[in-house]
Amino acid sequence: MAASVVTSGSVTTDGTEQTLATITTAGVYQIAVDCDALVGAADWVTVRWYGKARSSDSERLIDSATRAGTSVSRMLLTYALVSPHHLKVTVQRGGGTDRALPWAVYAP
């Protein structure tokens, strides 16, 4: 089975925590954020992903990753995320200038 793009887009950071996607369909997902637009150490973003243990539970932070303009890895690609009912992905600029970042959520 080929991988597919579940949802994608581009976001221009503004300093707030911005939601890229909220997925409520059971599946295995991977998040990709292209951070090539970041310039220098002062430009940095944090990508966070949230889930729920049970559909009726509160949303909780699962993990996060940070990339800066000096990062060797210009594409942030998460490990496989299993979600039976809820997955939310956000990005927040922590420093520097607002940048447009392409992003996508993949599924097998």
Side-chain angles (χ1 to χ4, degrees), residues 6-22:
V6 175
T7 185
S8 66
S10 179
V11 64
T12 299
T13 60
D14 65 8
T16 66
E17 187 173 14
Q18 298 165 267
T19 299
L20 303 181
T22 301

Side-chain angles (χ1 to χ4, degrees), residues 58-95:
S58 296
E59 183 179 270
R60 304 282 185 224
L61 178 66
I62 296 171
D63 207 347
S64 65
T66 300
R67 290 289 186 275
T70 55
S71 296
V72 173
S73 174
R74 306 303 289 173
M75 175 76 78
L76 188 152
L77 192 62
T78 67
Y79 47 83
L81 302 165
V82 177
S83 176
H85 42 257
H86 181 86
L87 176 65
K88 182 174 92 174
V89 183
T90 68
V91 66
Q92 184 172 11
R93 176 181 49 79

Side-chain angles (χ1 to χ4, degrees), residues 33-39 45 47 67-69 73-76 101-102:
V33 180
D34 185 342
C35 297
D36 195 53
L38 301 176
V39 179
V45 297
V47 176
R67 290 289 186 275
S73 174
R74 306 303 289 173
M75 175 76 78
L76 188 152
L101 304 175

